[in-house]
Amino acid sequence: HLRRLLLTLPALALVIADAGYHGYDLAAALLAVETSFLIRMSSTVRLFTDEPRDAEQFRQGLVTYWPKDAQKNGQPPLRLRLIRVRGRRQGKKRGADVWLLTNVLDPKRLSAAQAARFYRMRWENEGLFRTYKRTLAKVHLTCRTVRTVHREAYGSLLACQLLLAQGAW
């Protein structure tokens, strides 16, 4: 779905996605249409640095993304930037670190703090949809016409927001 929408994105858009959207082909497609991205990396993805780096000390830097399949197919390596967002402290424990891959190479255009804030905002959005699906049991909409499906979605999202507002109050 995202690939179909790439040409409809506005200029200077920043696609922010979770680890399920990783992949050389998607990154290459985003680069081809000159769309910036910030994608959480899976631990299974192999990235290369110009020189050996200590993973514990790493905060951000340039990396090369060039999986074996891309190498075999003669596709070029992708020069990207990897950002490590330290997990937030919760009491005495620190949350898990998040590794974000972006094609915005200049830290002045997208700082590590901005990347962390944007990714956190995306995660909060996921929380809203989780509440929507679980609390209101809205995995499937039940209406039969486009007009009533829109009405059902609008009403149930409004109900979800009211529940969250009441909880915050």
Side-chain angles (χ1 to χ4, degrees):
H1 191 113
L2 174 58
R3 287 176 205 248
R4 285 190 202 163
L5 293 175
L6 287 180
L7 295 175
T8 66
L9 293 174
L12 303 176
L14 176 65
V15 172
I16 303 171
D18 208 7
Y21 287 89
H22 75 278
Y24 179 91
D25 292 335
L26 178 61
L30 288 162
L31 285 166
V33 295
E34 298 179 358
T35 297
S36 299
F37 61 83
L38 182 66
I39 300 175
R40 183 170 70 91
M41 294 310 300
S42 164
S43 61
T44 62
V45 175
R46 178 179 270 174
L47 301 169
F48 302 96
T49 58
D50 293 338
E51 56 200 46
R53 309 277 300 261
D54 179 15
E56 278 303 312
Q57 301 300 319
F58 187 89
R59 293 291 174 264
Q60 67 176 314
L62 296 179
V63 296
T64 301
Y65 186 23
W66 203 23
K68 289 184 181 180
D69 290 343
Q71 292 175 30
K72 288 178 188 174
N73 295 333
Q75 295 170 299
L78 304 180
R79 191 72 167 156
L80 303 169
R81 185 168 135 230
L82 184 65
I83 302 170
R84 180 184 193 176
V85 177
R86 301 295 291 194
R88 286 186 170 178
R89 283 204 176 275
Q90 297 167 348
K92 293 186 178 185
K93 291 176 119 182
R94 180 185 284 278
D97 293 346
V98 175
W99 297 82
L100 302 171
L101 192 67
T102 184
N103 62 339
V104 181
L105 303 181
D106 183 3
K108 292 176 185 165
R109 277 194 57 221
L110 179 66
S111 70
Q114 287 173 317
R117 188 171 61 247
F118 289 154
Y119 185 76
R120 212 168 278 122
M121 289 167 65
R122 190 213 63 81
W123 191 247
E124 289 171 4
N125 194 29
E126 289 288 323
L128 170 67
F129 284 111
R130 183 190 182 286
T131 301
Y132 178 73
K133 290 189 302 190
R134 301 285 183 230
T135 306
L136 297 176
K138 283 297 178 184
V139 177
H140 301 285
L141 297 173
T142 58
C143 291
R144 297 187 183 275
T145 66
V146 172
R147 183 177 178 163
T148 55
V149 165
H150 284 171
R151 200 173 291 156
E152 180 184 2
Y154 179 79
S156 58
L157 278 169
L158 183 59
C160 184
Q161 289 177 330
L162 288 171
L163 283 171
L164 291 171
Q166 185 177 9
W169 180 60

